[in-house]
Amino acid sequence: MTAQAHKLWHFNGGVHPEQHKDVSTREPIEFMRLPRLVVLPLSQHIGEHCEPLVKAGDNVNKGQVIARAPGYVSAAVHASTSGRVVTVEERPVPHPSGMSAPCIVIEPDGREYWGESRLPPIEDYLNADPVTLRNRVREAGIVGLGGAAFPSAVKLNPRTEQPIDTVILNGAECEPYITCDDMLMRERAAQVLDGLRIIMHVVKAGEAVIGIEDNKPEAYQDFCAALGGSDVDGIRVVQVPTLYPTGGEKQLIKVLTGREVPSQGLPIDVGMVCHNVGTAYAIYRAVAEGEPLISRIVTVTGGGTQNPRNFEVLLGTPVGDLIDAAGGYTPEAHRLVMGGPMMGFALSDDEVPVIKGTNCLLAATREETPATPPALPCIRCGACMRACPANLLPQQLYWFARARDFDKVQDYNLFDCIECGCCSYVCPSHIPLVQYYRFAKTEIWELERERRKADQARIRHEFRQERLEREKREKAEKLARKKAALAKKPEKADAEDPKKAAIQAALERVKAKKATAGVEPKNTSDLTPEQAAQIEAAEARRAHAREKADSEGND
C-alpha cells in the first residue's frame, strides 16, 4: 500500500490561516550556545509539582536529577548543564498570567560535565522488557513536546483491558509559524523512527501511522527515505491536507483512521495512543543514548527577529538569550508570543526560561498580530459552529460562560474544547470566544477545588465528632464498670479482711451491751436475807477495792 492509497477522513470545521513556515526553515537547526544562567522551574508539565533535591551552593553535573517527581503523573527535572546552584526561589515562568513559581537557578561552569549522570544506554531496546523502557522514559523526565507537556511514561502504560493496536505519530504541526517538528523530521528522521519503534514495542502495538501535513514535503520525503518506503513493517507515512487544527490529537486520529475519540475520552478508548515526533525523538535519546530531557528544538520566528530559524536549546535558557542568538529584535518587533499565533500566549518579558513545552517564540510585528477590534454583539451567524473542529456549539458556550452558568456550559461539553481559536478566528463580531471558555474552565476548576476542600473539611469534622462520641461513650462505660465493681466490693472485703471483721464484731458487742443496759438480773429477785447480806458484803468489798485502787493511782 502506498501513502496515496491511504484513505483519509475529515473532521468538522477547521480554518486556513496564512502560512509563514518558510520564514524559519531556510537554515538548518543550530545548537544554541551556553546561556549565562539556567532557570529550571520545578513544574514544567501537567501533574504534580517536583520537589527540589539541591540547594544554593551545590555543584551539579549535566543530566543530574535536581528535582524528583513525587507522583505518578509527574516528571523529574534534570540539570541541563554542569555548574553551581545559585538559588532555589520563585522566578517568573512562562504563563499567560505572568506568574512566578519555584525555580532552580544554575550558573554554568562551562565544562558541560556529565560525571556519572548519564543513564546507561539500552542497546537492544526492541528486545528489552517494556517495563524497563517505560521506567527509563520516566527517569528521563520526558513529557509530550507538542505543547501539552503530559508525562510520557503515563501514556506508555495503558491498562490491560484497553489494548493498543495503533500508534499515531503526530507530525502535522498545523500552527502557521512553528517549524521545529518539520526541521526535526528533515534532519533526524531515523532517530524519530527508532523512537516510534520503541513506543510501539512498549505499548505492544502492531501498527503505526505518521501524519505529516502536505505543506512539509521535505519532511515527508526524508521520513520515507529513512523508513525505506512509505509503508514498511507496519509503519505508514501519510500526508494529510493542510488544515488547522489537524495537529490536534483527536482531529489527527479522525483524519488518519476515521475513529472518533468519544467526548471527554482519550485515544486509548479507541485503541490508540498519540505522540508528537519530538517526544519520539526524546524517547530514542533517553533509551539508546541515556540522555534525559535537557534540551529541545525551538522555533524563533516572526518579523520581529533578525534571523528566524530553529535552535536546539538547553532547557532553562532565558528567552532573551535565544532572541539574541537569532540576531536580536528588529525595530518592528511589537509582541513576543510563546507558541503559535493561534494557541500561544503573550510573554510579559523575555527573562522567562525555555521549558519542556516551549516549541516556538514568535516575535511578531504589528502587522502579524494586529490589535483585535472591539467586540460587537453576537449576530448568531453560526460561523463559529461551522469552524469548530470538536463539534461543539461555541455560541451556546459563549452565552452560558458569560452568564456564569457553569452547569449549563458543562452540559454543552466545554471540556472537549481544545482552545484552538478557530471560533474566534472566524467570528465577524470579534468576540474573544476562547477567552470566555478559558474563564469558564478556570472558574469550574476553582469551584471544584473549593468543593473538594469543603468535602475534606466536612469529613474531618465528622471524624472529630465521631471520635468525641466514642470517647464519651467509652468514658461512661468505664464509669459504669467501676460503680458495679464498688457495689460488689464490701461483702467480699469484709469476708476477706480479719481486721475489719474484728471491728465489726466489737461494734456488734457494744450495740448488744447498750441494748441490755438497765436490765436487772432475774436471779436476784428471790434472795434470802442471808444471801442478800452476802451480796451486799461482796459489793462493799468490791467498792472498797475500787476506792483503794483509785487512791493508790492518785498517789
Side-chain angles (χ1 to χ4, degrees), residues 13-199:
V15 295
H16 289 93
E18 186 178 355
Q19 297 291 301
H20 301 273
K21 291 185 180 284
D22 60 331
V23 174
S24 56
T25 55
R26 297 166 188 164
E27 298 183 63
I29 298 170
E30 179 179 329
F31 286 90
M32 169 75 186
R33 62 178 177 265
L34 202 60
R36 49 191 164 79
L37 277 180
V38 169
V39 181
L40 294 161
L42 296 182
S43 180
Q44 303 181 44
H45 53 272
I46 292 175
E48 199 168 349
H49 294 190
C50 288
E51 298 171 351
L53 300 175
V54 296
K55 61 183 182 306
D58 288 353
N59 291 316
V60 295
N61 295 330
K62 185 170 185 174
Q64 178 179 331
V65 180
I66 56 175
R68 75 175 189 90
Y72 179 64
V73 183
S74 187
V77 177
H78 301 72
S80 53
T81 185
S82 60
R84 183 178 63 87
V85 176
V86 177
T87 183
V88 180
E89 64 179 15
E90 291 207 347
R91 293 274 181 116
V93 295
H95 193 272
S97 67
M99 61 180 279
S100 295
C103 299
I104 297 173
V105 183
I106 299 173
E107 183 180 32
D109 58 12
R111 297 190 302 151
E112 293 281 83
Y113 178 65
W114 281 84
E116 297 180 353
S117 297
R118 188 184 289 275
L119 301 167
I122 303 174
E123 296 180 356
D124 190 12
Y125 45 78
L126 294 184
N127 289 313
D129 179 14
V131 175
T132 301
L133 297 174
R134 192 182 305 124
N135 288 338
R136 169 57 58 89
V137 172
R138 178 174 172 76
E139 284 180 87
I142 296 173
V143 302
L145 299 186
F150 188 80
S152 300
V154 180
K155 270 190 169 184
L156 295 177
N157 192 23
R159 295 189 294 271
T160 53
E161 66 271 19
Q162 290 181 306
I164 302 296
D165 57 54
T166 306
V167 175
I168 301 295
L169 197 61
N170 190 343
E173 196 168 52
C174 54
E175 276 270 9
Y177 277 89
I178 304 175
T179 59
C180 57
D181 288 350
D182 186 5
M183 295 304 294
L184 173 68
M185 290 188 286
R186 293 190 198 187
E187 298 186 12
R188 305 173 194 179
Q191 293 93 328
V192 175
L193 282 171
D194 282 344
L196 172 60
R197 292 187 179 99
I198 293 170
I199 294 170

